[in-house]
Amino acid sequence: MKVLEFPLARITIGFISGILFAYYFHLPLSLLFILLSIFVSIFGVLYFTLKNKSKNVFYFGLTTYLLSFLIGISTQVIHIDHFQKSNYSHITTIFEEPHSISLIIREKLKSTLFSDRYIAIINRVDEKEQTGRIILNIQKDSMHHEFEIGTPLLIKGILSKNRPPNNPNQFDYSKYLENKQIYAQLYADVEENKIGTEIEKNIWYYSSKLRTRIIRNLEKNNFNKTELNVAIALIMGQQQDISPEIIRDYQYAGAVHILSVSGLHIGFILIFVTFILKPIPNTKRGSFIKLFIILASLFTFGIIAGLAPSVVRSVTMFSFVAIGNHLRRSVNIYHTLLVSILLILLFEPSFLFDVGFQLSYLALFFIIWLQPLLASIWLPKNKISKYIWDILTVSFAAQIGTLPLSIYYFHQFPGLFFVTNLIVIPLLSIIMILGVLVMLLAAFNSIPIFLSQLLEWSIYYLNKIINAIASLEQFILQDIPLHFYLLLSSYLVVITAIIWLKKPSFNKLVMTLISIIIVQISYLGIQWNIQHEQEWIVFNIKRNTLLAERNGENITVYANDSILKTAQKNNALKSYRIGNLSRLKAKKELQNLFYFNGKKIFILDSSGVFPKNIHPDIIVMTQSPKINFERLLQTTKPKMVVADASNYKTIQKQWKATCMKQKIPFHATSEKGYYKLND
């Protein structure tokens, strides 16, 4: 694999390994500083002593890779807000008592039914300067006030820590926020906010104002709301207002990637701007003016699109392509890819853990690496056939590269992705060129009605095509489980198979066969572990009680009739079933007494009736029973009390206080998430 022979590739791998190491293991800062100093000194000595010698290059290379590894660790540590002493998370009472919090609105998020949501930057807590990012939830009022980016607010409130997943194997939103350096949320009413007079006018403010101006001018042209929201996503990367139904259609059709601005969109922008600048002569001065305008256009577009990881990656990479063209040099695409990764992660290492960033780089790498191999299978002479074949080979290359990771994260596979891309990509090229032109004119308050209508109709028919493909649900494979070890071994098979197909040899074939055996061993190992696992779960279901017992791959569910009837489609159970490669074997009515691995579990329901001599190990409180809780504890003497989300929160607080007095562990699923009892 030639790409790994590049020194830059090895340095990048070392750097990324350092980021991953710092993410999972916390190295003491003093030790990190000492190691960095030592290896910088060794690197300097070796560089000056060996630069004119061919011997001992191995030691210089090893030192370089170890240094890049340490730089990766230090980059991650420097950029983690939690390690900064000024970060609000270090205030001991910030999650317990009300504080006066001064903050500035940075970014608008998708609203919920009851509140508007923003990312906000904290400036001060009480009278002390603090830093950090939070999610700000402002309850909607009848006037529906929305704050513009850069608005300073003063709010008195208690920060809420990011909650763990409500139920097992569900999407970990708290981890997702933590990767974005967001450790808390703040809930407030509009009336509780003191709005500052001076708006902070920075790059985020001006990009938001420009987006707002474009949207309002399009609305004045009677641009249909549904198509407008899709246009804003396609051109400006803002998905906040797209309906869940449209997003679902794009997911099912295998086209959700076009709703996030990525390399495809930036490539269209580069081609469009380059085409417009053709009249400028290719003199030294003219070439420089072209380059400046292209780079300015790409970065302006990136800022307007909100600087998402995929946008930053694409703008950075295509900027290097533009610079290479300006210098009249053939740009090595692998080097461009690696340099863009290094630059982006140096400034924002948290992007490495962004799903969009991972998928976009994998897709691009496999298009560069695999597409020529697929294209060589057939060499059509007809231009139309060649165009269709190129789209298909690019689509298959990207899909092969991202398939294991997509299944790992989303547990589904759109079988008609190639049909979607075959139809959508030509239409998208028209929409992108038309859309950029309309957005530019909208920014200057001058949109010809025929252009805006043409864009609206194009997006209308795009949505119709996507909806028609998505409606063929028999081609959508859903609920596909994929363990992490299977993810890694699957990529091993894909990579070794491509290496073998590119330049067949006996050794490469053996390597491919060994990787297939590794997949089989991984699968058998996972199955063996699952078969020997036993769990008893109290799920966190609002206003309901849901219990499950898993023996190996068989799950028995205990709940009331209404939940049992839809158990197969229940989201909490579906996530649990997929995550544990298990199946729903039995559905049973709730009962009051369970035995699990020698532990006695008593379920106390709304009747409040319990045997005096029960003495359970665990009591599960459900349906807010009206009882003397202190007497219950004294009579039954449990070792643990669990309260599910079917109980009133006020009663749970009283139970928690009583348990603390009697030194009995208390677990409220509405506060801590699901409760799990292992074997």
mmCIF file of all heavy atoms in Angstrom, residues 395-422:
data_model
loop_
_atom_site.group_PDB
_atom_site.id
_atom_site.type_symbol
_atom_site.label_atom_id
_atom_site.label_comp_id
_atom_site.label_asym_id
_atom_site.label_seq_id
_atom_site.Cartn_x
_atom_site.Cartn_y
_atom_site.Cartn_z
ATOM 1 N N SER A 395 -19.639 6.032 -6.571
ATOM 2 C CA SER A 395 -20.632 5.696 -5.539
ATOM 3 C C SER A 395 -20.276 4.395 -4.826
ATOM 4 O O SER A 395 -20.330 4.308 -3.597
ATOM 5 C CB SER A 395 -22.028 5.572 -6.162
ATOM 6 O OG SER A 395 -22.420 6.776 -6.753
ATOM 7 N N PHE A 396 -19.903 3.373 -5.611
ATOM 8 C CA PHE A 396 -19.557 2.076 -5.014
ATOM 9 C C PHE A 396 -18.277 2.169 -4.188
ATOM 10 O O PHE A 396 -18.178 1.567 -3.111
ATOM 11 C CB PHE A 396 -19.420 1.003 -6.101
ATOM 12 C CG PHE A 396 -20.714 0.336 -6.441
ATOM 13 C CD1 PHE A 396 -21.439 0.722 -7.561
ATOM 14 C CD2 PHE A 396 -21.239 -0.660 -5.634
ATOM 15 C CE1 PHE A 396 -22.650 0.116 -7.878
ATOM 16 C CE2 PHE A 396 -22.448 -1.273 -5.941
ATOM 17 C CZ PHE A 396 -23.161 -0.883 -7.063
ATOM 18 N N ALA A 397 -17.289 2.919 -4.668
ATOM 19 C CA ALA A 397 -16.041 3.080 -3.918
ATOM 20 C C ALA A 397 -16.305 3.751 -2.570
ATOM 21 O O ALA A 397 -15.813 3.294 -1.525
ATOM 22 C CB ALA A 397 -15.042 3.896 -4.734
ATOM 23 N N ALA A 398 -17.089 4.828 -2.591
ATOM 24 C CA ALA A 398 -17.415 5.536 -1.342
ATOM 25 C C ALA A 398 -18.238 4.659 -0.417
ATOM 26 O O ALA A 398 -18.013 4.633 0.803
ATOM 27 C CB ALA A 398 -18.175 6.822 -1.662
ATOM 28 N N GLN A 399 -19.181 3.899 -0.988
ATOM 29 C CA GLN A 399 -20.051 3.055 -0.165
ATOM 30 C C GLN A 399 -19.273 1.901 0.456
ATOM 31 O O GLN A 399 -19.482 1.565 1.628
ATOM 32 C CB GLN A 399 -21.197 2.504 -1.020
ATOM 33 C CG GLN A 399 -22.386 2.003 -0.205
ATOM 34 C CD GLN A 399 -23.108 3.117 0.510
ATOM 35 O OE1 GLN A 399 -23.488 4.111 -0.088
ATOM 36 N NE2 GLN A 399 -23.295 2.981 1.812
ATOM 37 N N ILE A 400 -18.360 1.295 -0.291
ATOM 38 C CA ILE A 400 -17.539 0.209 0.256
ATOM 39 C C ILE A 400 -16.684 0.728 1.409
ATOM 40 O O ILE A 400 -16.529 0.070 2.438
ATOM 41 C CB ILE A 400 -16.656 -0.414 -0.856
ATOM 42 C CG1 ILE A 400 -17.538 -1.218 -1.829
ATOM 43 C CG2 ILE A 400 -15.570 -1.319 -0.263
ATOM 44 C CD1 ILE A 400 -16.832 -1.619 -3.115
ATOM 45 N N GLY A 401 -16.130 1.928 1.239
ATOM 46 C CA GLY A 401 -15.276 2.505 2.274
ATOM 47 C C GLY A 401 -16.002 2.883 3.539
ATOM 48 O O GLY A 401 -15.440 2.790 4.642
ATOM 49 N N THR A 402 -17.241 3.317 3.402
ATOM 50 C CA THR A 402 -17.983 3.797 4.579
ATOM 51 C C THR A 402 -18.980 2.781 5.125
ATOM 52 O O THR A 402 -19.543 3.005 6.205
ATOM 53 C CB THR A 402 -18.754 5.091 4.230
ATOM 54 O OG1 THR A 402 -19.640 4.830 3.134
ATOM 55 C CG2 THR A 402 -17.799 6.217 3.860
ATOM 56 N N LEU A 403 -19.197 1.676 4.403
ATOM 57 C CA LEU A 403 -20.244 0.721 4.787
ATOM 58 C C LEU A 403 -20.101 0.185 6.217
ATOM 59 O O LEU A 403 -21.049 0.274 6.999
ATOM 60 C CB LEU A 403 -20.296 -0.433 3.783
ATOM 61 C CG LEU A 403 -21.360 -1.507 4.055
ATOM 62 C CD1 LEU A 403 -22.760 -0.910 4.026
ATOM 63 C CD2 LEU A 403 -21.250 -2.634 3.024
ATOM 64 N N PRO A 404 -18.938 -0.382 6.609
ATOM 65 C CA PRO A 404 -18.849 -0.902 7.983
ATOM 66 C C PRO A 404 -19.101 0.162 9.051
ATOM 67 O O PRO A 404 -19.820 -0.087 10.023
ATOM 68 C CB PRO A 404 -17.406 -1.439 8.061
ATOM 69 C CG PRO A 404 -17.015 -1.695 6.647
ATOM 70 C CD PRO A 404 -17.697 -0.633 5.856
ATOM 71 N N LEU A 405 -18.524 1.358 8.845
ATOM 72 C CA LEU A 405 -18.704 2.424 9.838
ATOM 73 C C LEU A 405 -20.148 2.905 9.874
ATOM 74 O O LEU A 405 -20.691 3.190 10.951
ATOM 75 C CB LEU A 405 -17.758 3.586 9.531
ATOM 76 C CG LEU A 405 -17.529 4.592 10.676
ATOM 77 C CD1 LEU A 405 -16.840 3.921 11.851
ATOM 78 C CD2 LEU A 405 -16.704 5.781 10.198
ATOM 79 N N SER A 406 -20.795 3.012 8.715
ATOM 80 C CA SER A 406 -22.202 3.433 8.658
ATOM 81 C C SER A 406 -23.103 2.438 9.391
ATOM 82 O O SER A 406 -23.995 2.830 10.142
ATOM 83 C CB SER A 406 -22.662 3.561 7.203
ATOM 84 O OG SER A 406 -21.961 4.572 6.545
ATOM 85 N N ILE A 407 -22.868 1.141 9.158
ATOM 86 C CA ILE A 407 -23.673 0.114 9.836
ATOM 87 C C ILE A 407 -23.408 0.148 11.342
ATOM 88 O O ILE A 407 -24.328 0.012 12.148
ATOM 89 C CB ILE A 407 -23.373 -1.276 9.256
ATOM 90 C CG1 ILE A 407 -23.901 -1.364 7.816
ATOM 91 C CG2 ILE A 407 -24.001 -2.375 10.100
ATOM 92 C CD1 ILE A 407 -23.549 -2.640 7.095
ATOM 93 N N TYR A 408 -22.149 0.362 11.722
ATOM 94 C CA TYR A 408 -21.783 0.407 13.146
ATOM 95 C C TYR A 408 -22.525 1.535 13.870
ATOM 96 O O TYR A 408 -23.020 1.352 14.986
ATOM 97 C CB TYR A 408 -20.271 0.596 13.276
ATOM 98 C CG TYR A 408 -19.784 0.723 14.694
ATOM 99 C CD1 TYR A 408 -19.742 -0.374 15.547
ATOM 100 C CD2 TYR A 408 -19.369 1.958 15.199
ATOM 101 C CE1 TYR A 408 -19.298 -0.261 16.857
ATOM 102 C CE2 TYR A 408 -18.915 2.085 16.497
ATOM 103 C CZ TYR A 408 -18.881 0.969 17.324
ATOM 104 O OH TYR A 408 -18.437 1.101 18.618
ATOM 105 N N TYR A 409 -22.616 2.703 13.217
ATOM 106 C CA TYR A 409 -23.261 3.859 13.852
ATOM 107 C C TYR A 409 -24.782 3.867 13.678
ATOM 108 O O TYR A 409 -25.512 4.215 14.597
ATOM 109 C CB TYR A 409 -22.692 5.166 13.295
ATOM 110 C CG TYR A 409 -21.343 5.557 13.849
ATOM 111 C CD1 TYR A 409 -20.262 5.780 13.004
ATOM 112 C CD2 TYR A 409 -21.135 5.705 15.216
ATOM 113 C CE1 TYR A 409 -19.017 6.143 13.505
ATOM 114 C CE2 TYR A 409 -19.900 6.064 15.718
ATOM 115 C CZ TYR A 409 -18.841 6.281 14.865
ATOM 116 O OH TYR A 409 -17.621 6.634 15.369
ATOM 117 N N PHE A 410 -25.255 3.502 12.467
ATOM 118 C CA PHE A 410 -26.667 3.710 12.139
ATOM 119 C C PHE A 410 -27.469 2.418 11.961
ATOM 120 O O PHE A 410 -28.689 2.477 11.838
ATOM 121 C CB PHE A 410 -26.783 4.568 10.869
ATOM 122 C CG PHE A 410 -25.994 5.851 10.936
ATOM 123 C CD1 PHE A 410 -24.930 6.071 10.080
ATOM 124 C CD2 PHE A 410 -26.300 6.808 11.878
ATOM 125 C CE1 PHE A 410 -24.182 7.241 10.146
ATOM 126 C CE2 PHE A 410 -25.570 7.993 11.958
ATOM 127 C CZ PHE A 410 -24.505 8.208 11.089
ATOM 128 N N HIS A 411 -26.814 1.271 11.898
ATOM 129 C CA HIS A 411 -27.467 -0.045 11.841
ATOM 130 C C HIS A 411 -28.419 -0.206 10.657
ATOM 131 O O HIS A 411 -29.408 -0.909 10.752
ATOM 132 C CB HIS A 411 -28.221 -0.330 13.154
ATOM 133 C CG HIS A 411 -27.378 -0.157 14.368
ATOM 134 N ND1 HIS A 411 -26.293 -0.965 14.652
ATOM 135 C CD2 HIS A 411 -27.446 0.741 15.380
ATOM 136 C CE1 HIS A 411 -25.743 -0.581 15.787
ATOM 137 N NE2 HIS A 411 -26.408 0.455 16.242
ATOM 138 N N GLN A 412 -28.126 0.473 9.547
ATOM 139 C CA GLN A 412 -28.963 0.290 8.361
ATOM 140 C C GLN A 412 -28.146 0.502 7.088
ATOM 141 O O GLN A 412 -27.080 1.124 7.120
ATOM 142 C CB GLN A 412 -30.167 1.226 8.378
ATOM 143 C CG GLN A 412 -29.849 2.707 8.252
ATOM 144 C CD GLN A 412 -31.115 3.549 8.268
ATOM 145 O OE1 GLN A 412 -32.123 3.198 8.848
ATOM 146 N NE2 GLN A 412 -31.051 4.697 7.613
ATOM 147 N N PHE A 413 -28.667 -0.038 5.986
ATOM 148 C CA PHE A 413 -27.969 0.069 4.704
ATOM 149 C C PHE A 413 -28.997 0.325 3.601
ATOM 150 O O PHE A 413 -29.902 -0.482 3.390
ATOM 151 C CB PHE A 413 -27.192 -1.222 4.410
ATOM 152 C CG PHE A 413 -26.605 -1.260 3.035
ATOM 153 C CD1 PHE A 413 -25.607 -0.381 2.660
ATOM 154 C CD2 PHE A 413 -27.062 -2.178 2.088
ATOM 155 C CE1 PHE A 413 -25.067 -0.412 1.383
ATOM 156 C CE2 PHE A 413 -26.525 -2.220 0.811
ATOM 157 C CZ PHE A 413 -25.526 -1.334 0.461
ATOM 158 N N PRO A 414 -28.890 1.462 2.891
ATOM 159 C CA PRO A 414 -29.818 1.750 1.791
ATOM 160 C C PRO A 414 -29.410 0.988 0.536
ATOM 161 O O PRO A 414 -28.411 1.327 -0.114
ATOM 162 C CB PRO A 414 -29.673 3.268 1.606
ATOM 163 C CG PRO A 414 -28.288 3.580 2.100
ATOM 164 C CD PRO A 414 -27.939 2.554 3.128
ATOM 165 N N GLY A 415 -30.168 -0.044 0.171
ATOM 166 C CA GLY A 415 -29.808 -0.908 -0.944
ATOM 167 C C GLY A 415 -29.812 -0.223 -2.295
ATOM 168 O O GLY A 415 -29.155 -0.679 -3.228
ATOM 169 N N LEU A 416 -30.556 0.881 -2.420
ATOM 170 C CA LEU A 416 -30.657 1.566 -3.715
ATOM 171 C C LEU A 416 -29.783 2.822 -3.773
ATOM 172 O O LEU A 416 -30.086 3.762 -4.520
ATOM 173 C CB LEU A 416 -32.123 1.946 -3.988
ATOM 174 C CG LEU A 416 -33.083 0.765 -4.205
ATOM 175 C CD1 LEU A 416 -34.509 1.267 -4.366
ATOM 176 C CD2 LEU A 416 -32.679 -0.062 -5.417
ATOM 177 N N PHE A 417 -28.688 2.847 -3.000
ATOM 178 C CA PHE A 417 -27.822 4.027 -2.965
ATOM 179 C C PHE A 417 -27.276 4.375 -4.353
ATOM 180 O O PHE A 417 -27.141 5.549 -4.706
ATOM 181 C CB PHE A 417 -26.661 3.800 -1.993
ATOM 182 C CG PHE A 417 -25.628 2.819 -2.470
ATOM 183 C CD1 PHE A 417 -24.524 3.243 -3.206
ATOM 184 C CD2 PHE A 417 -25.761 1.465 -2.214
ATOM 185 C CE1 PHE A 417 -23.583 2.338 -3.662
ATOM 186 C CE2 PHE A 417 -24.822 0.561 -2.662
ATOM 187 C CZ PHE A 417 -23.727 0.993 -3.397
ATOM 188 N N PHE A 418 -26.961 3.346 -5.166
ATOM 189 C CA PHE A 418 -26.373 3.595 -6.492
ATOM 190 C C PHE A 418 -27.400 4.216 -7.434
ATOM 191 O O PHE A 418 -27.060 5.060 -8.271
ATOM 192 C CB PHE A 418 -25.800 2.301 -7.080
ATOM 193 C CG PHE A 418 -26.789 1.192 -7.262
ATOM 194 C CD1 PHE A 418 -27.424 1.009 -8.478
ATOM 195 C CD2 PHE A 418 -27.094 0.327 -6.212
ATOM 196 C CE1 PHE A 418 -28.342 -0.015 -8.651
ATOM 197 C CE2 PHE A 418 -28.008 -0.698 -6.390
ATOM 198 C CZ PHE A 418 -28.646 -0.866 -7.602
ATOM 199 N N VAL A 419 -28.668 3.817 -7.301
ATOM 200 C CA VAL A 419 -29.739 4.421 -8.111
ATOM 201 C C VAL A 419 -29.902 5.887 -7.726
ATOM 202 O O VAL A 419 -30.020 6.774 -8.583
ATOM 203 C CB VAL A 419 -31.072 3.662 -7.914
ATOM 204 C CG1 VAL A 419 -32.199 4.352 -8.676
ATOM 205 C CG2 VAL A 419 -30.940 2.211 -8.355
ATOM 206 N N THR A 420 -29.883 6.130 -6.417
ATOM 207 C CA THR A 420 -30.016 7.506 -5.904
ATOM 208 C C THR A 420 -28.911 8.391 -6.456
ATOM 209 O O THR A 420 -29.173 9.481 -6.985
ATOM 210 C CB THR A 420 -29.957 7.511 -4.363
ATOM 211 O OG1 THR A 420 -30.978 6.656 -3.851
ATOM 212 C CG2 THR A 420 -30.158 8.912 -3.817
ATOM 213 N N ASN A 421 -27.655 7.931 -6.339
ATOM 214 C CA ASN A 421 -26.529 8.749 -6.794
ATOM 215 C C ASN A 421 -26.552 8.960 -8.301
ATOM 216 O O ASN A 421 -26.188 10.033 -8.797
ATOM 217 C CB ASN A 421 -25.203 8.103 -6.378
ATOM 218 C CG ASN A 421 -24.954 8.245 -4.886
ATOM 219 O OD1 ASN A 421 -25.433 9.169 -4.257
ATOM 220 N ND2 ASN A 421 -24.214 7.321 -4.312
ATOM 221 N N LEU A 422 -26.999 7.947 -9.032
ATOM 222 C CA LEU A 422 -27.059 8.039 -10.491
ATOM 223 C C LEU A 422 -28.019 9.146 -10.925
ATOM 224 O O LEU A 422 -27.771 9.861 -11.904
ATOM 225 C CB LEU A 422 -27.519 6.691 -11.061
ATOM 226 C CG LEU A 422 -27.184 6.379 -12.517
ATOM 227 C CD1 LEU A 422 -25.694 6.430 -12.764
ATOM 228 C CD2 LEU A 422 -27.755 5.023 -12.910
#
